[in-house]
């Protein structure tokens, strides 16, 4: 008696699934609409077990992963959407979302790995161009393309400036080192002059002339001495002394 109700419930569940083969996908969409993106992604994966080639399920799974911030997983899911070449609308939507995911990845990598970020920005631009090719009137794709292009240009300029600074840094260091050596040489010269002056002052005794003072005095005395030509003139003009008579 107790087993019959359970069997009836099980049969009812199977019947509902048979009547609505999209029940899991609908539940996933309901969870997505309520903001439960993690649970929604799980349900979309469940639905893909039975319908692995469903473009809509792959697309919705990519959206749910994107909402969780799992941008790499979102790109992988979106790239699994089949038949994009035959459906321009689907191509535009898939490419647009891939472009957004690539942009988010680039934005996250810009500080730690700017070169990788440049590559991701370039991939985002390519995705937006595919979007505009499939949907020329898509203003959002055009706006995003222009925005990411500016971001990419700004990052390139930043990297170029950093490279110039790195190249200039050794030259600045060499210049600073040269100026430092010049300052040290000048200081050493001044110290030597001070030491010489102190040594000369220490050698000079009280009441004695320094070497410089003695040299100056000798020069002055030499100026006062009679030169040889003046001596000759004096001798020529002098009277001869008369001999003294001593007898």
């Amino acid at each position: 008696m107790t087993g019959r109700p359970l069997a009836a419930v099980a049969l009812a569940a199977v019947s509902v699934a048979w009547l609505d083969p999209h029940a899991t996908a609908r539940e996933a969409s309901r969870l997505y609409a309520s903001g439960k993106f993690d649970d929604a992604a799980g349900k979309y994966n469940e639905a893909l077990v039975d319908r692995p080639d469903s473009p809509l399920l792959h697309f919705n799974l990519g959206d749910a992963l994107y909402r969780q911030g799992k941008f790499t997983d979102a790109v992988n899911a979106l790239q699994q959407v089949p038949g994009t070449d035959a459906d321009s609308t689907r191509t535009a939507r898939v490419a647009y979302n891939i472009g957004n995911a690539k942009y988010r990845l680039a934005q996250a990598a810009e500080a730690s790995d700017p070169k990788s970020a440049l590559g991701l920005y370039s991939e985002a631009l390519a995705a937006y161009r595919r979007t505009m090719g499939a949907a020329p009137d898509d203003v959002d794709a055009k706006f995003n393309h222009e925005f990411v292009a500016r971001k990419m240009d700004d990052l390139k300029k930043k990297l170029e400036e950093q490279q110039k600074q790195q190249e200039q840094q050794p030259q600045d260091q060499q210049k600073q080192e040269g100026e430092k050596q010049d300052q040290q040489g000048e200081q050493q010269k001044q110290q030597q002059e001070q030491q010489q002056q102190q040594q000369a002052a220490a050698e000079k005794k009280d009441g004695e002339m320094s070497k410089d003072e003695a040299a100056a005095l000798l020069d002055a005395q030499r100026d006062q001495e009679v030169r040889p030509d003046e001596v000759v003139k004096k001798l020529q003009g002098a009277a001869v002394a008369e001999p003294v008579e001593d007898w």
Side-chain angles (χ1 to χ4, degrees):
M1 295 294 292
T2 57
R4 291 181 180 178
L6 293 175
V9 170
L11 180 60
V14 172
S15 299
V16 170
W18 179 77
L19 292 174
D20 187 5
H22 303 295
T24 304
R26 295 181 192 280
E27 177 64 13
S29 297
R30 185 187 66 78
L31 291 169
Y32 182 94
S34 61
K36 298 178 180 179
F37 304 117
D38 190 11
D39 294 336
K43 286 296 182 180
Y44 283 131
N45 277 317
E46 288 182 20
L48 280 167
V49 173
D50 295 328
R51 302 171 59 197
D53 297 329
S54 171
L56 184 59
L57 289 176
H58 282 291
F59 182 85
N60 289 357
L61 174 60
D63 281 358
L65 292 169
Y66 182 94
R67 293 292 185 179
Q68 295 177 70
K70 298 178 179 179
F71 302 117
T72 300
D73 293 337
V75 170
N76 293 335
L78 291 167
Q79 288 176 340
Q80 298 299 316
V81 177
T84 54
D85 293 337
D87 188 337
S88 61
T89 301
R90 186 184 302 169
T91 298
R93 295 181 64 190
V94 170
Y96 180 81
N97 284 5
I98 289 177
N100 289 346
K102 292 286 187 178
Y103 165 74
R104 295 296 184 182
L105 290 170
Q107 188 180 36
E110 187 169 327
S112 60
D113 191 355
K115 291 183 179 180
S116 176
L118 279 177
L120 290 167
Y121 279 140
S122 179
E123 293 175 9
L125 291 177
Y128 291 135
R129 285 194 292 270
R130 288 197 300 273
T131 304
M132 292 184 290
D137 297 332
D138 193 326
V139 294
D140 291 335
K142 182 179 180 181
F143 176 86
N144 286 6
H145 185 277
E146 293 176 354
F147 177 80
V148 174
R150 288 194 299 269
K151 290 278 292 184
M152 192 172 179
D153 290 340
D154 291 342
L155 182 55
K156 285 181 178 180
K157 291 179 181 178
K158 182 179 179 180
L159 291 176
E160 290 175 357
E161 291 176 356
Q162 290 178 351
Q163 185 175 359
K164 289 180 180 178
Q165 291 176 356
Q166 292 174 355
E167 293 174 352
Q168 184 66 27
Q169 187 174 4
Q171 298 178 3
D172 292 340
Q173 290 178 347
Q174 291 178 356
K175 183 178 179 181
Q176 292 175 359
E177 186 65 25
E179 292 176 350
K180 183 178 179 181
Q181 291 177 356
D182 292 341
Q183 291 176 355
Q184 291 176 349
E186 185 65 25
Q187 290 176 354
Q188 291 177 355
K189 183 178 179 181
Q190 292 177 356
Q191 290 175 356
Q192 290 176 355
E193 291 177 352
Q194 290 176 356
Q195 290 175 356
Q196 290 174 355
Q197 292 174 357
Q198 292 173 356
Q199 185 177 1
E203 291 176 352
K204 182 179 178 181
K205 296 179 180 180
D206 295 339
E208 294 184 355
M209 293 182 294
S210 66
K211 294 180 180 180
D212 293 339
E213 292 172 343
L217 180 60
L218 288 173
D219 291 339
Q221 289 177 348
R222 289 193 186 97
D223 291 339
Q224 295 175 0
E225 291 177 353
V226 179
R227 295 193 298 273
D229 56 342
E230 294 179 349
V231 173
V232 172
K233 291 179 180 178
K234 289 180 180 180
L235 289 174
Q236 292 176 348
V240 178
E242 296 293 334
V244 178
E245 294 182 359
D246 54 355
W247 63 87

